[in-house]
């Protein structure tokens, strides 16, 4: 959900709609209020920074409408994986934990869980409490430090079935991707979206 080149998926049973997702352009506080593509405002880069709650919730509602559209097009919601990089990964996590549609999984790359204090201390009660999550992070990420990824993984394991949360760290990777991460994403997708008869 970040407008980057999508992961190549060639199977007949998998459709990639990420190419249709474009972040809006808006002023971003952290960028001296200059306009840039962004799902929501970013006010700071520390775990205790204020967050753009209305913007995050508005973006999540947009993603939920895309899920609803795919369901109307005949794709069962439990065959949909949300995924993204940085803000897109954060939005994917938040949306999956708050939607009423049962999803197959989430790939959350170099990101964090937004509005984490709004979630319960224990498991969520929604339909996605058993969702599969692949979270990936570089140990050299200067923009979204590994600490954010680690705190997110810990929180996710309290919200959903901890056996379904996989947190992978890639040595030397900055705020980007690497070939091994792409292999891991592919294996995750193949595992949770097997071909249907």
């Amino acid at each position: 959900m970040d407008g980057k080149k999508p992961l190549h998926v060639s199977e007949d049973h998998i459709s990639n709609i990420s190419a249709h997702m474009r972040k809006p352009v808006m002023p971003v506080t952290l960028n001296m209020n200059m306009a840039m593509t962004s799902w929501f405002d970013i006010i700071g880069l520390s775990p205790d920074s204020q967050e753009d709650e209305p913007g995050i919730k508005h973006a999540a509602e947009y993603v939920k409408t895309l899920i609803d559209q795919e369901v109307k097009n005949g794709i069962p919601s439990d065959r949909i994986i949300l995924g993204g990089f940085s803000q897109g990964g954060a939005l994917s996590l938040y949306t999956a934990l708050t939607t009423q549609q049962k999803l197959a999984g989430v790939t959350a790359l170099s990101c964090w869980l937004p509005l984490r204090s709004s979630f319960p201390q224990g498991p969520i009660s929604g339909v996605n409490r058993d969702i599969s999550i692949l979270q990936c992070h570089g140990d050299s990420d200067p923009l979204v430090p590994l600490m954010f990824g680690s705190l997110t993984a810990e929180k996710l394991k309290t919200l959903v079935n901890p056996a379904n949360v996989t947190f992978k760290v890639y040595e030397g990777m900055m705020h980007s991707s690497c070939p091994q991460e792409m292999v891991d994403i592919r294996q995750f997708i193949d595992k949770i979206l097997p071909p249907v008869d």
Side-chain angles (χ1 to χ4, degrees):
M1 293 199 307
D2 62 358
K4 292 182 114 180
K5 183 178 177 183
L7 177 67
H8 176 68
V9 179
S10 62
E11 283 82 0
D12 292 334
H13 68 282
I14 297 176
S15 173
N16 183 337
I17 65 164
S18 66
H20 305 294
M21 305 219 19
R22 297 286 179 241
K23 290 188 260 187
V25 175
M26 65 178 63
V28 174
T29 303
L30 192 66
N31 194 29
M32 299 180 294
N33 281 326
M34 294 178 63
M36 61 183 282
T37 56
S38 186
W39 286 112
F40 47 84
D41 192 15
I42 301 175
I43 299 161
L45 289 178
S46 68
D48 59 348
S49 290
Q50 180 183 345
E51 294 184 274
D52 176 17
E53 183 172 353
I56 292 164
K57 289 181 174 182
H58 177 76
E61 288 305 314
Y62 170 69
V63 175
K64 291 172 189 179
T65 65
L66 293 175
I67 295 167
D68 290 341
Q69 186 60 51
E70 290 302 304
V71 171
K72 287 178 188 169
N73 290 339
I75 306 297
S77 68
D78 64 357
R79 300 270 311 160
I80 295 174
I81 298 173
L82 298 182
F85 174 82
S86 196
Q87 261 195 338
L91 181 56
S92 295
L93 286 171
Y94 182 81
T95 303
L97 296 174
T98 59
T99 186
Q100 297 306 308
Q101 297 275 19
K102 183 168 178 52
L103 302 173
V106 177
T107 57
L109 315 177
S110 302
C111 67
W112 67 99
L113 177 61
L115 305 177
R116 68 190 173 286
S117 63
S118 69
F119 290 99
Q121 292 301 312
I124 61 170
S125 60
V127 295
N128 287 315
R129 64 182 157 267
D130 287 318
I131 194 168
S132 295
I133 299 173
L134 173 62
Q135 185 190 352
C136 303
H137 216 105
D139 68 357
S140 301
D141 190 331
L143 296 178
V144 181
L146 179 59
M147 173 187 64
F148 283 48
S150 298
L151 290 171
T152 294
E154 289 173 22
K155 181 67 174 178
L156 289 171
K157 288 179 181 180
T158 70
L159 297 175
V160 300
N161 181 343
N164 294 346
V165 177
T166 302
F167 182 49
K168 292 189 174 269
V169 177
Y170 302 90
E171 185 177 350
M173 190 173 84
M174 299 183 73
H175 196 65
S176 61
S177 62
C178 67
Q180 184 58 52
E181 181 182 44
M182 294 299 109
V183 168
D184 293 339
I185 293 167
R186 181 54 182 256
Q187 290 173 346
F188 176 78
I189 292 170
D190 288 346
K191 178 180 175 186
I192 65 172
L193 285 185
V196 290
D197 295 330

